[in-house]
Amino acid sequence: MSLKLYNTQTRTIEEFKSNIPGEVKMYTCGPTVYHFAHIGNLRTYVMEDVLEKSLTYLGYKVNRVMNITDVGHLSGDSDTGEDKMLAGAIREHKSVMEIAEFYTNAFKKDCERLNVTWPQTVVPATSCIDDYIKFVQSLLEKGFAYIAGGNVYFDVSKLKDYYTLTNHQADEMVVGAREGVEEDFNKRNQNDFALWFTKSKFESQELKWQSPWGLGYPGWHIECSAISLKYLGEYLDIHCGGVDNIFPHHTNEIAQTESYLGHKWCNYWFHIQHLNTEGGKMSKSKGEFTTIDLLIEKGYNPLAYRMFCLQSHYRNPLVFSYERLDGAASAYKKLTNKIENLQKSATGELNKDLILKYQTKFKDALENDINTSLALTCVYDVLKDENLNSNTALYLIQDFDKVLSLNLLQQNTAKVNDDLHEYILQKIELRKQAKAQKNYALADEIRNELTKQGVTLIDTKEGTSYKIN
Ligand code: AMP
Ligand code: ZN
């Protein structure tokens, strides 16, 4: 099998082909750091983490970039309302940059607790102002943008197809936060969007920069496009976000980026469905939401929440309740207890055939549009299989946990196992080289050294494997 992913743009499950074979350029929209991330936001980041780790597991080298939105995201997604960062600063009597730093660190801590790996490149939006200005200037020169009332807007009427992600179906569009929607009379078309603001009702905007159009600040959409181009180049493989980002954010990103480049930009759009409460969408702007801190306060292990996320497919909406989380927490505890018991009596030689069989099953689950619940089932199947000795079962579970990241083996033991495995493989390789050079004394010395350390080498026609005594 090969990797298949659902692509929002084509509304089909497609075979994944990266622009450069073996490499993936992946962009993920980062958090707006005006408040704590809620567990809904974190569902999106858990699933993006699983996607990145799945790609790596499947052999790709992943180059992933994420922005931190610290300016320009207004309380209404259609360029209305005040800047969310400013609202956060006013709420907490702090400066915007203090708010940004505090909530970026809080988000980082949440990611750590959920075993979400911090992306290789993380870029605060305020660090790329010159790039936005150049981008906007070029759109003006190419005739895709206009100045009105002091602001610069993108003119959607210049495009053949603006709704490439939404297929003109209003009911298919998952529209983001719409509170505070007001008509902006500067716009020529209803869907035109701001690229750069110099005039807004909110003159108290704290962060402003000089630009050819006056003192102002960038629109939210231009940030992701410019950061992606700067760090990942003109051809992007995968762009991710929650479904509320489909319209207008990602629709606008495509409009401006492809107008700027003059060619197709991103091949796969990967969107994660929302985590909802029983009363509807969980949202930061509603003010009441559940955080990882709250779950910890209530006695939950954050990884039980990760397990809760993995039990469902990323394209299905997920309803959160404490009762459901209790179910995941109890399954997680049972699973880790079982594995812990297995570790106490770890014996047996690694069985290569069975390793391959289960790794293939696990890969198939990932390749099937990142089917995490099937991938989790592989762990249970390994534990159930009586033909698997405990060392082979533990080896497989540790291998699957590279993607699941549930600390299925006690973290320290896992690290030791990993290091030991690497060490033994290196020794086997050195012994092979010694034999090839007819240095049998050295080859024997390596074998004896390992024997003393409790490792028996087994030579077969296919090569050398080992057994831990
Ligand atoms: P924000 O901090 O509002 O910019 O959102 C950060 C990420 O969380 C974005 O990718 C959103 O699409 C995503 N998101 C927002 N609300 C939810 C939710 N209830 N469930 C899952 N993801 C969400
Ligand atoms: Zn974005």
Side-chain angles (χ1 to χ4, degrees), residues 204-219:
S204 49
Q205 180 73 13
E206 205 177 288
L207 299 177
K208 290 184 191 179
W209 294 266
Q210 274 306 341
S211 77
W213 319 287
L215 195 63
Y217 60 100

Side-chain angles (χ1 to χ4, degrees), residues 29-34 38 40-41 43-45 48 69 73 84 220 241-245 272-276 281-284:
C29 288
T32 311
V33 283
Y34 71 111
H38 57 61
N41 300 126
R43 177 191 191 195
T44 287
Y45 295 105
E48 289 168 351
T69 306
H73 192 174
K84 291 187 181 194
W220 172 38
V243 283
D244 58 308
N245 285 159
I272 295 102
Q273 269 290 350
H274 278 163
L275 178 87
N276 300 310
K281 185 194 162 203
M282 189 173 284
S283 128
K284 273 194 249 188

Side-chain angles (χ1 to χ4, degrees), residues 2-41:
S2 58
L3 176 60
K4 305 223 167 30
L5 286 180
Y6 181 81
N7 184 355
T8 308
Q9 195 158 29
T10 55
R11 280 163 215 86
T12 51
I13 294 185
E14 290 179 29
E15 186 165 331
F16 177 74
K17 276 207 170 65
S18 54
N19 284 301
I20 303 173
E23 283 183 31
V24 176
K25 295 187 180 192
M26 172 174 169
Y27 185 86
T28 47
C29 288
T32 311
V33 283
Y34 71 111
H35 218 319
F36 290 107
H38 57 61
I39 56 172
N41 300 126

Side-chain angles (χ1 to χ4, degrees), residues 27 29 67 220 224 239 249-250 253:
Y27 185 86
C29 288
N67 70 307
W220 172 38
C224 287
H239 195 311
H249 185 46
H250 291 165
E253 277 191 51

Side-chain angles (χ1 to χ4, degrees), residues 98-155:
E98 280 167 345
I99 290 285
E101 192 187 349
F102 179 82
Y103 288 113
T104 302
N105 288 336
F107 175 67
K108 203 169 183 178
K109 196 165 149 204
D110 285 342
C111 288
E112 272 166 24
R113 295 189 291 201
L114 288 166
N115 280 347
V116 167
T117 303
W118 198 240
Q120 194 179 333
T121 309
V122 177
V123 187
T126 46
S127 70
C128 297
I129 301 296
D130 287 349
D131 300 280
Y132 313 142
I133 292 175
K134 277 186 213 139
F135 201 131
V136 174
Q137 208 146 17
S138 162
L139 287 174
L140 277 164
E141 282 160 17
K142 292 183 166 112
F144 289 105
Y146 60 93
I147 301 170
N151 298 333
V152 187
Y153 294 94
F154 187 90
D155 184 347

